[in-house]
């Protein structure tokens, strides 16, 4: 089994990251369960009664001499008892046993195998309970069984469990979100589990949550998950298809916590270092430049950090990004901006020379950039992005002879026309200009007429900025 990483701070973070769960666990440890009544009502066997009673009194010594019986009893109790308070107690006991000594995970696996018992089933079943503590403590135990031993979780169980974690992360107002994220931090250290997580569309979920306002602890944990994913070269190469760089660049610019800064820089470094294709690393550098990461790095260079890794990462990233700026062609810059989905009126859009030389390049990779522009027109709510996308589509059609035909094939013409009635005057203007370029050959004459009419109207209307 391949485990990715071990960090010295892991145990500290575990306590911080599962505080709601730990507070409740502390209360549950103080309970006394009347095991005799369970035996008298024949809900547990005499053998299990003796084992759990002895375990309550002297855990370490009884476990050392009766390890197989302990595993058998705990699995029996978890599988056959139903009262919430009792199940909570058993789960805390079991989690404590594993936390005290990781090698006990293998003891559970081996003993369950000899007893022909499934170690995963009882805890996966508990994920369906109503009680939040039972659900999340079962999840935590499953993560330890999956990550701390020599046996990996079977594929069908793994997909179910990862889907469960993903759904729990996305659940509104989940008071256990830090515990859920902690389980994921453990799981994604294991290479075999990373691709399964991508398979349940996990990266999109992480990015969606990070794009909302979450507290810095959850922020750190979810970015940690992205970081461990990027240690796999194939995943590092694909990562920015999920807009990881723009989202993390935004967080970096607002970030006040050193550990969040450190983990973001770690992700950025891996996105450059880990992909085996140098062109992918170059694309990632350009994307970081586009998202103003260089500016943030220059600010970080002025600060003093206790953590030497931060200083080293800042130096590494600054050098790589500076080099990529020098190599950057105007088309590289344009392509990166379009792929980021964050269009703005940067100089490249307004350059007639750029469009004369590069309009045809929007056809590359099966019209990749043109498709993105059409998609942005269809999905964005931002007036500047819509205005720029309309303008760019108009310039493409103007400079590429078959542009009108291509755009119609992609359904772009209809989408541009839908924006003729947009509430924002700038979007209406750019959409109208683009439609003129789509409809007629003598667009320059009509464009000038349109501008003239627009100038006349502006005297009594709101000013229009950012026009062609």
């Amino acid at each position: 089994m391949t485990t990715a990483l071990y960090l010295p701070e892991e145990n500290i973070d575990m306590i911080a990251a599962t505080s709601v769960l730990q507070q409740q666990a502390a209360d549950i440890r103080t309970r006394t369960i009347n095991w005799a009544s369970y035996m008298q009502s024949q809900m547990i066997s005499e053998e299990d009664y003796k084992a759990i009673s002895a375990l309550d009194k002297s855990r370490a010594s009884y476990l050392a001499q009766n390890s197989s019986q302990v595993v058998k009893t705990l699995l029996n109790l978890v599988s056959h008892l139903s009262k919430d308070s009792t199940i909570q107690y058993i789960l805390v006991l079991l989690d404590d046993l594993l936390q005290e000594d990781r090698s006990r995970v293998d003891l559970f696996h081996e003993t369950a195998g000899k007893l022909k018992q499934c170690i995963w089933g009882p805890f996966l079943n508990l994920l369906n309970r109503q009680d939040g503590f039972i659900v999340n403590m079962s999840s935590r135990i499953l993560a330890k069984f999956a990550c701390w031993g020599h046996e990996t979780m079977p594929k069908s169980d793994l997909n179910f469990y990862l889907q469960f974690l993903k759904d729990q992360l996305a659940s509104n107002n989940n008071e256990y979100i830090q515990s859920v994220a902690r389980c994921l931090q453990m799981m994604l250290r294991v290479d075999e589990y990373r691709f399964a997580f991508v398979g349940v569309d996990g990266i999109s979920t992480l990015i969606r949550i990070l794009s909302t306002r979450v507290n810095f602890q959850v922020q750190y944990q979810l970015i940690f998950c992205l970081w461990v994913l990027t240690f796999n070269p194939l995943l590092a190469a694909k990562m920015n298809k999920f807009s990881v760089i723009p989202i993390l660049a935004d967080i970096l610019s607002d970030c006040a916590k050193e550990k969040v800064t450190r983990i973001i820089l770690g992700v950025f470094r891996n996105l450059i270092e880990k992909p085996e294709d140098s062109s992918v690393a170059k694309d990632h550098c350009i994307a970081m430049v586009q998202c103003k990461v260089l500016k943030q790095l220059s600010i970080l260079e002025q600060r003093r950090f206790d953590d030497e890794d931060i200083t080293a990462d800042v130096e590494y990233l600054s050098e790589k990004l500076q080099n990529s700026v020098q190599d950057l062609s105007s088309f590289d810059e344009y392509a990166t901006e379009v792929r980021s989905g964050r269009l703005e009126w940067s100089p490249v859009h307004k350059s007639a020379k750029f469009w004369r030389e590069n309009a045809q390049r929007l056809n590359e990779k099966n019209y990749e950039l043109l498709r993105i522009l059409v998609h942005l027109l269809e999905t964005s709510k931002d007036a500047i992005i819509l205005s720029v996308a309309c303008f760019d589509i108009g310039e493409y059609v103007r400079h590429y002879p078959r542009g009108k035909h291509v755009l119609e094939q992609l359904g772009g013409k209809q989408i541009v026309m839908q924006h003729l009635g947009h509430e924002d005057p700038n979007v209406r203007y750019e959409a109208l200009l683009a439609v003129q370029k789509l409809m007629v050959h003598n667009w320059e004459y009509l464009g000038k007429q349109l501008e003239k009419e627009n100038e006349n109207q502006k005297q009594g209307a709101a000013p229009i900025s950012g026009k062609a």
Side-chain angles (χ1 to χ4, degrees), residues 312-409:
D313 285 348
V314 168
E315 286 175 9
Y316 173 87
L317 290 166
S318 295
E319 183 186 344
K320 291 290 182 185
L321 267 52
Q322 292 287 1
N323 291 344
S324 76
V325 169
Q326 289 163 14
D327 296 340
L328 205 60
S329 73
S330 58
F331 185 76
D332 288 333
E333 189 181 334
Y334 175 76
T336 308
E337 185 183 328
V338 173
R339 288 188 188 113
S340 77
R342 299 179 171 208
L343 300 181
E344 53 187 63
W345 287 111
S346 52
V348 69
H349 297 278
K350 308 285 191 65
S351 164
K353 180 174 181 286
F354 170 81
W355 287 107
R356 274 197 308 275
E357 293 172 357
N358 294 295
Q360 196 160 336
R361 294 196 65 185
L362 267 63
N363 301 337
E364 291 172 4
K365 297 183 182 176
N366 191 25
Y367 306 102
E368 178 201 9
L369 297 179
L370 193 60
R371 288 176 191 274
I372 294 172
L373 289 172
V374 171
H375 178 70
L376 289 172
L377 275 185
E378 212 168 2
T379 58
S380 181
K381 303 282 186 253
D382 187 293
I384 291 176
I385 291 173
L386 294 173
S387 298
V388 177
C390 284
F391 177 80
D392 287 4
I393 283 171
E395 289 296 274
Y396 167 74
V397 168
R398 173 188 168 195
H399 289 282
Y400 176 56
R402 293 189 62 252
K404 295 171 195 172
H405 173 70
V406 171
L407 200 68
E408 283 191 31
Q409 294 291 101

Side-chain angles (χ1 to χ4, degrees), residues 75-343:
L75 290 177
N76 282 344
L77 297 180
V78 162
S79 302
H80 297 114
L81 298 181
S82 58
K83 190 176 179 183
D84 279 359
S85 59
T86 308
I87 292 290
Q88 289 171 352
Y89 181 86
I90 297 162
L91 292 175
V92 171
L93 173 61
L94 207 161
D95 185 66
D96 286 348
L97 288 173
L98 301 181
Q99 194 66 33
E100 286 165 10
D101 183 353
R102 289 186 180 207
S103 69
R104 288 173 182 163
V105 167
D106 281 326
L107 169 68
F108 271 81
H109 281 303
E110 288 158 16
T111 309
K114 287 173 191 168
L115 296 169
K116 300 283 191 287
Q117 282 188 277
C118 172
I119 202 166
W120 310 103
F123 300 97
L124 288 165
N125 289 338
L126 290 175
L127 299 182
N128 297 314
R129 295 282 283 254
Q130 292 300 306
D131 180 81
F133 181 87
I134 290 175
V135 168
N136 286 280
M137 189 53 87
S138 301
S139 174
R140 179 178 161 95
I141 290 167
L142 280 166
K144 289 175 180 175
F145 280 151
C147 300
W148 287 358
H150 292 97
E151 277 194 46
T152 51
M153 190 181 271
K155 195 166 184 183
S156 59
D157 291 340
L158 176 64
N159 286 339
F160 175 85
Y161 179 54
L162 290 174
Q163 184 68 49
F164 160 81
L165 289 177
K166 190 188 97 163
D167 293 345
Q168 290 292 304
L169 276 182
S171 171
N172 288 334
N173 303 318
N174 184 351
E175 65 175 327
Y176 295 99
I177 188 168
Q178 293 177 352
S179 179
V180 177
R182 176 65 208 153
C183 292
L184 203 52
Q185 282 178 273
M186 291 169 66
M187 293 296 287
L188 296 180
R189 290 165 179 265
V190 181
D191 206 39
E192 292 93 320
Y193 300 156
R194 292 171 182 157
F195 288 97
F197 183 66
V198 175
V200 298
D201 200 27
I203 297 176
S204 299
T205 301
L206 295 179
I207 294 302
R208 191 165 65 251
I209 298 165
L210 283 168
S211 65
T212 63
R213 294 222 168 261
V214 289
N215 69 56
F216 81 88
Q217 177 61 34
V218 175
Q219 221 173 40
Y220 168 77
Q221 289 179 267
L222 299 187
I223 299 168
F224 183 103
C225 291
L226 294 174
W227 178 60
V228 289
L229 284 168
T230 58
F231 277 88
N232 182 289
L234 289 173
L235 295 180
K238 292 179 178 176
M239 195 63 76
N240 203 38
K241 288 182 170 43
F242 298 92
S243 299
V244 166
I245 291 171
I247 295 294
L248 294 191
D250 283 351
I251 294 172
L252 186 65
S253 68
D254 294 334
C255 174
K257 292 290 180 181
E258 188 169 305
K259 70 178 192 176
V260 177
T261 297
R262 183 184 70 239
I263 205 76
I264 292 173
L265 296 176
V267 175
F268 285 166
R269 182 164 187 155
N270 278 359
L271 290 177
I272 297 170
E273 273 187 339
K274 300 302 177 186
E276 289 164 359
D277 183 344
S278 60
S279 68
V280 172
K282 181 188 173 190
D283 287 346
H284 287 168
C285 284
I286 295 168
M288 289 176 208
V289 171
Q290 187 71 47
C291 293
K292 315 285 193 293
V293 173
L294 259 177
K295 180 185 172 187
Q296 289 308 314
L297 292 172
S298 67
I299 293 169
L300 292 174
E301 280 175 329
Q302 309 306 313
R303 286 170 56 186
R304 185 166 277 187
F305 295 101
D306 295 331
D307 190 330
E308 291 177 4
D309 286 348
I310 295 183
T311 308
D313 285 348
V314 168
E315 286 175 9
Y316 173 87
L317 290 166
S318 295
E319 183 186 344
K320 291 290 182 185
L321 267 52
Q322 292 287 1
N323 291 344
S324 76
V325 169
Q326 289 163 14
D327 296 340
L328 205 60
S329 73
S330 58
F331 185 76
D332 288 333
E333 189 181 334
Y334 175 76
T336 308
E337 185 183 328
V338 173
R339 288 188 188 113
S340 77
R342 299 179 171 208
L343 300 181

